């Protein structure tokens, strides 16, 4: 049985850890607001881009743009795995990394070659350890992603798809459902499926609003022509899609870390209470033993 000094040291150690986890919880809670505001600020632009692409694509039926052409046979896939640079965020990183690894193994069994763009130090170390081919790596940007990072990934994906280096580009990240919950999200970036892009009519149940949206689309004049506008719009849409995934993941990272640190703090409190009760029992037992020894010694002297 441990002595009182050992238990005191254990309690002190748990209290020190609790202070760290509590501080990290407070820091993450403060960062969530900024990250969520940034994600919400990017949403209107992303939605407008989707609406514009849907309208233009509907007017440019039969376009031969390579970004719209779905390959008959998929032989090479590019995965864009978005995780964090730091741990202590529960299953935030492992959910994405294990999902991508599982997909890569499944595709390898089908003879499909996989490549990865790793966003976050955890992704870099995970895939490097498993000798998985990394096309691009980004670190120290998970909590504060930039437009330049999204643009670099988009250029790599677009050029690779147009040149036939990749037959499919998939973005995998954690979508921020709310401040306390993240959902694994997998989106096909290329080829662009315009049939799944929302339009103003899709997001409204009002007949008058739908008629107005259709009237606006009908009155649109494209210069120099619809095909040229679509060709310029598609790369911007791909970049916007990737950037939105990066900022969405950044908000989810802070939420996941706050939840994990709150759980760790609660566990530390329970552990301290358990150790304190154990300490009191051991101390009470030691005092009882000392009293018995004193009484026994006094009785022996009287005899």
């Amino acid at each position: 049985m441990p002595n009182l000094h050992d238990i005191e040291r254990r309690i002190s150690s748990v209290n020190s850890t609790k202070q760290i986890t509590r501080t990290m919880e407070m820091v993450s809670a403060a960062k969530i607001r900024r990250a969520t505001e940034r994600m919400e600020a990017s949403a209107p632009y992303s939605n407008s881009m989707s609406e514009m692409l849907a309208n233009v694509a509907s007017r440019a039926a039969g376009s031969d743009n390579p970004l719209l052409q779905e390959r008959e046979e998929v032989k090479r896939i590019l995965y864009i795995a978005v995780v964090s640079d730091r741990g202590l965020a529960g299953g935030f990183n492992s959910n994405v990394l294990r999902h991508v690894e599982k997909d890569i193994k499944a595709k390898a069994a089908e003879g499909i070659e996989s490549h990865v763009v790793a966003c976050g130090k955890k992704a870099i170390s995970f895939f490097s350890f498993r000798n998985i081919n990394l096309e691009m790596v980004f670190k120290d940007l998970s909590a504060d992603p930039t437009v330049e990072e999204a643009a670099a990934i988009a250029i790599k994906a677009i050029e690779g798809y147009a040149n036939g280096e990749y037959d499919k580009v998939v973005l995998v990240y954690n979508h921020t459902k709310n401040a306390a919950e993240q959902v694994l999200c997998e989106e096909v970036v290329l080829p662009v499926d315009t049939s799944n892009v929302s339009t103003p009519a899709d997001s409204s149940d009002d007949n008058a609003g739908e008629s107005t949206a259709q009237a606006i689309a009908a009155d649109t004049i494209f210069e120099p022509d619809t095909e040229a506008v679509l060709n310029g719009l598609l790369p911007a849409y791909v970049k916007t899609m990737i950037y939105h995934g990066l900022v969405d993941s950044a908000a989810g990272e802070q939420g996941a870390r706050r939840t994990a640190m709150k759980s760790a703090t609660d566990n530390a409190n329970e552990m301290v209470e358990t150790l304190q009760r154990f300490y009191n029992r051991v101390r009470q037992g030691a005092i009882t033993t000392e009293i018995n020894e004193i009484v026994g010694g006094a009785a022996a002297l009287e005899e």
Side-chain angles (χ1 to χ4, degrees), residues 1 3 25-26 29 36 50 62 68 79 103 105 129 133-134 146 149 154 171 185 199 223 257 262 265 274:
M1 178 180 292
N3 55 41
E25 177 190 348
M26 295 173 64
T36 303
S50 298
L68 296 174
Y79 289 93
D103 269 10
K105 290 181 178 178
F129 180 76
N133 185 27
L134 295 178
T146 63
E149 177 187 1
L171 175 66
C185 184
T199 63
E223 289 292 344
R257 183 167 291 112
K262 185 179 185 304
T265 302
T274 302

Side-chain angles (χ1 to χ4, degrees), residues 43-271:
Y45 180 82
S46 178
N47 294 337
S48 297
M49 180 68 71
S50 298
E51 294 172 1
M52 187 182 304
L53 177 64
N55 286 328
V56 175
S58 65
R59 301 286 295 275
S63 172
D64 58 354
N65 189 293
L67 303 185
L68 296 174
Q69 307 305 317
E70 185 175 356
R71 305 290 163 78
E72 295 181 359
E73 184 179 4
V74 177
K75 296 181 178 180
R76 291 172 293 275
I77 298 179
L78 177 66
Y79 289 93
I80 305 172
V82 183
V83 295
S84 67
D85 290 310
R86 298 186 296 133
L88 300 177
F92 181 83
N93 295 321
S94 60
N95 289 341
V96 172
L97 298 176
R98 289 175 182 173
H99 177 80
V100 174
E101 182 186 25
K102 181 180 178 180
D103 269 10
I104 289 175
K105 290 181 178 178
K107 298 302 181 184
E110 299 174 6
I112 300 175
E113 182 181 348
S114 297
H115 302 265
V116 177
V117 172
C119 301
K121 291 180 179 179
K122 294 300 179 180
I124 297 173
S125 59
F126 181 88
F127 293 117
S128 296
F129 180 76
R130 288 160 177 76
N131 296 319
I132 295 176
N133 185 27
L134 295 178
E135 295 292 300
M136 299 178 74
V137 296
F138 296 90
K139 56 184 179 179
D140 300 325
L141 294 172
S142 67
D144 192 21
T146 63
V147 176
E148 290 76 17
E149 177 187 1
I153 298 173
I155 291 172
K156 178 68 176 178
I158 291 171
E159 291 181 350
Y161 190 83
N163 296 333
E165 296 179 18
Y166 315 119
D167 300 314
K168 191 176 183 180
V169 179
V170 180
L171 175 66
V172 185
Y173 65 98
N174 284 300
H175 166 62
T176 306
K177 188 174 182 179
N178 53 54
E181 185 178 359
Q182 299 78 39
V183 181
L184 181 66
C185 184
E186 178 179 318
E187 298 178 352
V188 177
V189 178
L190 291 171
V192 177
D193 186 2
T194 56
S195 63
N196 289 332
V197 178
S198 62
T199 63
D202 294 332
S203 59
S204 175
D205 295 329
D206 184 74
N207 293 331
E210 181 177 350
S211 300
T212 302
Q214 292 175 349
I216 293 174
D219 293 339
T220 304
I221 299 175
F222 298 94
E223 289 292 344
D225 54 45
T226 309
E227 186 72 20
V229 174
L230 182 62
N231 292 341
L233 189 60
L234 282 171
Y237 172 76
V238 172
K239 183 177 73 172
T240 302
M241 189 176 181
I242 294 174
Y243 179 71
H244 185 73
L246 293 174
V247 295
D248 197 351
S249 177
E253 175 188 348
Q254 302 304 328
R257 183 167 291 112
R258 185 187 69 168
T259 301
M261 292 300 99
K262 185 179 185 304
S263 178
T265 302
D266 293 341
N267 291 337
N269 286 329
E270 293 179 5
M271 186 176 293

Side-chain angles (χ1 to χ4, degrees), residues 280-300:
N280 292 337
R281 287 199 300 269
V282 173
R283 183 169 179 269
Q284 183 178 7
I287 293 173
T288 302
T289 301
E290 291 176 0
I291 292 175
N292 290 336
E293 291 176 352
I294 293 172
V295 172

